[in-house]
């Protein structure tokens, strides 16, 4: 399968981010907990040199909790602060502020030694499209915060959202682009819905999903669709179409319908909490 991206947007987004990063202390990087590595762009490590780092593993409500724990350990070992999150829920946002303060404690300490009191930590959210950047900013901002506009010493036109005395967040997130290092990365991004379905072959995608599920989550397909897992992917899709009565006008079995059903039920969590890659 071929995946496409748009280099023009990439260059502009990157330049914008380089500018924004100069203004902040902490990078809040959002990844999708179902594919924590494939939904990252490691370029951010270079862009964000010398910045404090926090990774939010978002959509953890859809991810396998065991895998999320493994990934948390994996990133922590590399020196990132990590929080697993469902950005749609306002619960857990207090923990984010605590973790931001913890991640930036060196800076806070440095300020204190210099006699600077109450200088807020400045942060920005970054991530590839669709990982939940806007949802997170909205949930985190909630109602009880003041938007602050231009301030002396801060680039014009930037909006900051202020949280109490301690944190200021740039209100527009930085957009990273996925990195298609290999076919599997593209495949995983397609499966979670990060790539427009119009440019994908969903039949093919569903066969890949069946293969992944059979290997890593045996029993899931059987439980949901009453199918035998010990058969070829195409035959299994055929059985799903049959058992779910996926038929087209002429009452013929419609594989594409079955393929879309399967992909949708994976994406919305109906198949259970599933992570597509392990550390
Ligand atoms: P972005 O700014 O990074 O591009 O992502 P955005 O916040 O627009 O979120 C993309 C989609 O992911 C939204 O769904 C949003 O509701 C959903 N989402 C964000 N965080 C979470 C999470 O923690 N768990 C789950 N399950 N979903 C999350 P949408 O289909 O585009 O819109 P809608 O379903 O909200 O109408």
């Amino acid at each position: 399968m071929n995946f496409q991206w748009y280099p023009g947007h990439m260059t502009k987004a990157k330049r914008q981010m380089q500018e924004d990063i100069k203004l902040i202390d902490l990078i809040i990087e959002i990844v999708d907990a179902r594919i924590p590595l494939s939904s990252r762009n490691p370029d951010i490590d270079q862009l964000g040199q010398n910045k404090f780092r926090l990774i939010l593993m978002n959509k953890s409500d859809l991810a396998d909790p065991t895998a999320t724990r493994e990934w948390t350990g994996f990133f922590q070992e590399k020196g990132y602060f990590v929080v697993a999150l469902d950005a749609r829920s306002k619960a857990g946002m207090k923990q984010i502020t605590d973790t931001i303060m913890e991640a930036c404690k060196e800076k806070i300490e440095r300020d204190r030694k210099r006699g600077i009191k109450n200088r807020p930590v400045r942060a920005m959210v970054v991530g590839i499209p669709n990982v939940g950047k806007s949802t997170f900013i909205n949930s985190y901002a909630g109602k009880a915060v003041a938007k602050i506009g231009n301030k002396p010493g801060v680039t014009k036109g930037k909006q900051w959202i202020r949280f109490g005395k301690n944190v200021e967040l740039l209100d527009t997130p930085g957009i990273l682009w996925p990195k298609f290092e290999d076919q599997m990365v593209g495949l995983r991004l397609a499966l979670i819905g990060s790539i427009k379905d119009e440019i994908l072959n969903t039949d093919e995608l569903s066969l890949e999903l069946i293969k992944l599920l059979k290997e890593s989550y045996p029993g899931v397909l059987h439980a949901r669709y009453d199918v035998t897992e010990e058969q070829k992917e195409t035959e299994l899709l055929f059985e799903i179409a049959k058992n779910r009565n996926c038929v087209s006008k002429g009452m013929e079995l419609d594989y594409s319908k079955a393929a879309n059903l399967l992909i949708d039920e994976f994406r919305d969590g109906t198949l259970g909490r599933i992570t597509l890659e392990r550390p």
Side-chain angles (χ1 to χ4, degrees), residues 7-196:
H9 291 183
M10 279 162 42
T11 327
K12 189 158 170 261
K14 189 165 178 174
R15 218 179 301 127
Q16 182 63 53
M17 202 167 338
Q18 275 164 333
E19 287 308 307
D20 289 346
I21 282 176
K22 290 183 193 153
L23 309 173
I24 56 151
D25 308 296
L26 171 80
I27 294 178
I28 302 176
E29 182 187 356
I30 304 195
V31 301
D32 190 305
R34 293 165 297 173
I35 50 167
L37 215 54
S38 297
S39 60
R40 286 196 82 203
N41 183 329
D43 289 357
I44 191 64
D45 289 336
Q46 223 267 316
L47 285 166
Q49 263 174 353
N50 310 319
K51 301 291 169 183
F52 300 107
R53 303 293 298 276
L54 167 61
I55 291 184
L56 300 182
M57 285 206 281
N58 194 35
K59 307 201 187 184
S60 60
D61 53 303
L62 298 171
D64 179 341
T66 308
T68 300
R69 273 193 298 278
E70 287 171 19
W71 279 111
T72 301
F74 171 87
F75 287 126
Q76 281 171 341
E77 250 169 51
K78 297 199 180 307
Y80 301 95
F81 284 79
V82 186
V83 179
L85 193 69
D86 172 353
R88 295 166 313 166
S89 136
K90 305 250 186 308
M93 292 300 153
K94 166 82 174 68
Q95 194 205 343
I96 304 281
T97 305
D98 293 346
T99 312
I100 290 175
M101 301 310 280
E102 176 69 17
C104 296
K105 65 171 183 286
E106 261 175 53
K107 172 206 137 63
I108 295 162
E109 184 59 16
R110 209 162 50 217
D111 280 357
R112 198 186 59 80
K113 281 195 182 134
R114 289 184 188 149
I116 305 166
K117 270 194 222 144
N118 294 340
R119 184 161 76 180
V121 165
R122 286 197 180 138
M124 80 180 283
V125 170
V126 306
I128 67 167
N130 215 37
V131 286
K133 295 181 293 301
S134 313
T135 310
F136 167 71
I137 292 173
N138 287 335
S139 288
Y140 188 58
K143 287 193 193 110
V145 292
K147 282 216 171 189
I148 46 175
N150 302 330
K151 305 205 314 179
V154 175
T155 314
K156 264 203 169 152
K158 294 273 171 241
Q159 280 281 343
W160 295 82
I161 313 168
R162 181 157 192 165
F163 306 87
K165 291 197 297 274
N166 296 329
V167 181
E168 286 179 10
L169 188 70
L170 208 52
D171 83 338
T172 35
I175 312 224
L176 296 165
W177 48 98
K179 194 148 190 154
F180 301 107
E181 267 158 350
D182 61 43
Q183 282 290 99
M184 284 309 287
V185 171
L187 174 66
R188 294 184 194 112
L189 286 162
L191 283 172
I192 64 158
S194 249
I195 298 167
K196 281 200 186 77

